[in-house]
């Protein structure tokens, strides 16, 4: 069980920073961010809210020394020491795979809901308020902060618990969550759970993106860029891209692609 800091001095000691540095960052936290737009691989844009170096270092420390050590669920990722391969392995060679995407995941996790989360986890009100100032921006969890993924994983645990309860009557059904991607697999009929799943998310201020719901069978099963039938593997498009990099003389990127392919398929 991770011992939680319950005073400001204990929090500073956990972070191993100078008191003056901590106080300056705490007081100026909202001013440390720089915002930019980034294109998504599948189209559209996402807003990146990146903290400055001083705040980012504190967020990294909070991430490694606190948030990643709090209790979670084994099927909710990312987790320290795991990859998305671990999140997809349970869905290999299943008759039906359903993937759902939480729309605007980080911006939808609001400050007041995070305060409730921190209090439930055992932080006192004072430390909860300090943490909120250090890890939120304009009232939400910022995409671009190193602490956001671990906090989001903690936040979504209650939703996943509700999903598991809702799905428990379907035999052999499997569910994993990687950040904002929900993957469910099982026998024919698994897709009939979708309407109920969509009704659960709003209880936590979240919304399923209807346009990105996929029901897949056989060779079409794919999530997080990885094919899942009959076993985890990368498709021809990935291999073609690797070959293009090799032909262009981009040895480093080619070797990285091939190492990733070996990792996924071994």
């Amino acid at each position: 069980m991770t011992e939680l800091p319950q005073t400001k001095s204990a929090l500073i000691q956990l972070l191993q920073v100078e008191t003056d540095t901590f106080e300056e960052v705490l007081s100026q936290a909202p001013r440390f961010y720089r915002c930019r737009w980034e294109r998504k691989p599948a189209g559209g844009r996402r807003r990146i809210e990146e903290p400055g170096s001083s705040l980012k270092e504190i967020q990294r420390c909070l991430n490694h020394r606190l948030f990643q050590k709090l209790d979670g669920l084994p099927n909710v990722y990312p987790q320290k020491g795991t990859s998305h391969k671990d999140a997809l392995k349970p869905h290999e060679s299943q008759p039906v795979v359903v993937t759902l995407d939480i729309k605007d995941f980080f911006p939808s996790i609001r400050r007041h809901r995070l305060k409730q989360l921190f209090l439930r986890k055992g932080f006192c009100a004072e430390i909860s308020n300090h943490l909120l100032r250090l890890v939120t921006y304009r009232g939400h969890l910022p995409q671009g902060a190193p602490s956001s993924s671990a906090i989001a994983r903690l936040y979504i645990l209650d939703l996943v618990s509700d999903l598991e309860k809702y799905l428990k009557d379907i035999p052999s059904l499997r569910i994993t969550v990687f950040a904002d991607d929900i993957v469910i697999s099982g026998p024919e009929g698994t897709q009939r759970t979708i309407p109920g799943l969509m009704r659960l998310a709003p209880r936590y201020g979240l919304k399923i993106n209807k346009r990105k719901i996929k029901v897949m069978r056989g060779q079409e099963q794919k999530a997080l860029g990885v094919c899942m039938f009959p076993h985890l593997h990368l498709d021809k498009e990935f291999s073609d891209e690797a070959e293009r990099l090799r032909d262009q003389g981009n040895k480093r990127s080619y070797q990285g692609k091939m190492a990733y392919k070996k990792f996924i398929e071994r």
Side-chain angles (χ1 to χ4, degrees):
M1 183 77 177
T2 301
E3 185 175 349
L4 304 180
Q6 298 294 351
T7 64
K8 184 187 284 188
S9 60
L11 180 59
I12 293 171
Q13 184 176 5
L14 175 75
L15 295 171
Q16 297 180 6
V17 297
E18 296 292 333
T19 300
D20 290 346
T21 300
F22 177 85
E23 294 289 359
E24 180 183 359
V25 172
L26 185 67
S27 64
Q28 302 292 326
R31 300 183 182 181
F32 277 88
Y33 286 88
R34 288 187 294 183
C35 303
R36 56 185 169 85
W37 289 95
E38 183 180 87
R39 291 190 179 278
K40 298 180 181 180
R45 299 192 305 164
R46 65 164 61 92
R47 181 179 168 90
I48 302 298
E49 297 161 328
E50 186 175 4
S53 58
S54 298
L55 177 57
K56 184 181 288 187
E57 184 58 32
I58 285 179
Q59 290 173 342
R60 285 198 185 105
C61 290
L62 286 170
N63 194 44
H64 296 313
R65 298 172 187 169
L66 189 58
F67 296 129
Q68 286 186 353
K69 295 183 178 182
L70 296 179
D71 293 337
L73 292 173
N75 58 341
V76 181
Y77 301 85
Q79 302 175 34
K80 188 176 182 179
T82 67
S83 72
H84 59 274
K85 178 179 179 179
D86 299 285
L88 296 177
K89 193 71 175 175
H91 307 290
E92 270 188 326
S93 196
Q94 291 296 299
V96 178
V97 172
V98 176
T99 58
L100 306 99
D101 174 84
I102 299 175
K103 186 176 183 180
D104 299 326
F105 185 38
F106 285 0
S108 297
I109 301 178
R110 307 299 298 178
R111 179 187 172 94
H112 70 281
R113 291 182 180 271
L114 284 179
K115 183 167 186 178
Q116 294 170 3
L117 171 67
F118 291 156
L119 293 173
R120 287 199 308 273
K121 287 293 181 181
F123 295 100
C124 67
E126 178 189 8
I127 295 302
S128 295
N129 288 332
H130 292 333
L131 292 175
L132 289 169
R133 187 161 181 84
L134 292 168
V135 302
T136 64
Y137 177 63
R138 293 188 175 179
H140 65 265
L141 204 59
Q143 181 146 354
S147 51
S148 290
S149 290
I151 296 171
R153 176 175 174 266
L154 293 171
Y155 179 78
I156 205 172
L157 295 180
D158 288 341
L159 170 59
V160 176
S161 293
D162 277 354
L163 293 177
E164 289 176 330
K165 292 173 185 175
Y166 176 73
L167 300 170
K168 68 179 181 180
D169 293 331
I170 301 177
S172 305
L173 194 142
R174 308 170 183 200
I175 176 171
T176 60
V177 178
F178 192 95
D180 58 350
D181 292 293
I182 301 171
V183 185
I184 301 168
S185 65
E188 190 62 47
T190 296
Q191 65 274 19
R192 291 197 290 271
T193 64
I194 293 173
L197 299 176
M198 295 185 67
R199 288 194 295 270
L200 287 173
R203 297 181 185 178
Y204 300 92
L206 304 173
K207 186 177 181 181
I208 302 297
N209 191 333
K210 293 181 180 179
R211 294 182 299 172
K212 292 187 177 182
I213 296 173
K214 294 182 180 179
V215 179
M216 300 169 286
R217 298 170 178 83
Q219 296 294 335
E220 64 184 0
Q221 293 175 3
K222 187 175 182 180
L224 304 176
V226 178
C227 303
M228 293 174 285
F229 189 92
H231 51 76
L232 297 188
H233 66 282
L234 295 164
D235 58 16
K236 186 177 183 300
E237 183 179 348
F238 181 93
S239 298
D240 289 345
E241 174 62 20
E243 293 302 319
R244 280 194 293 271
L245 291 170
R246 186 188 64 180
D247 294 342
Q248 292 167 4
N250 194 336
K251 184 177 179 181
R252 184 175 181 179
S253 294
Y254 170 73
Q255 289 176 339
K257 285 267 189 182
M258 297 311 293
Y260 178 68
K261 179 179 174 69
K262 183 178 180 181
F263 167 72
I264 290 293
E265 297 181 353
R266 70 184 176 195

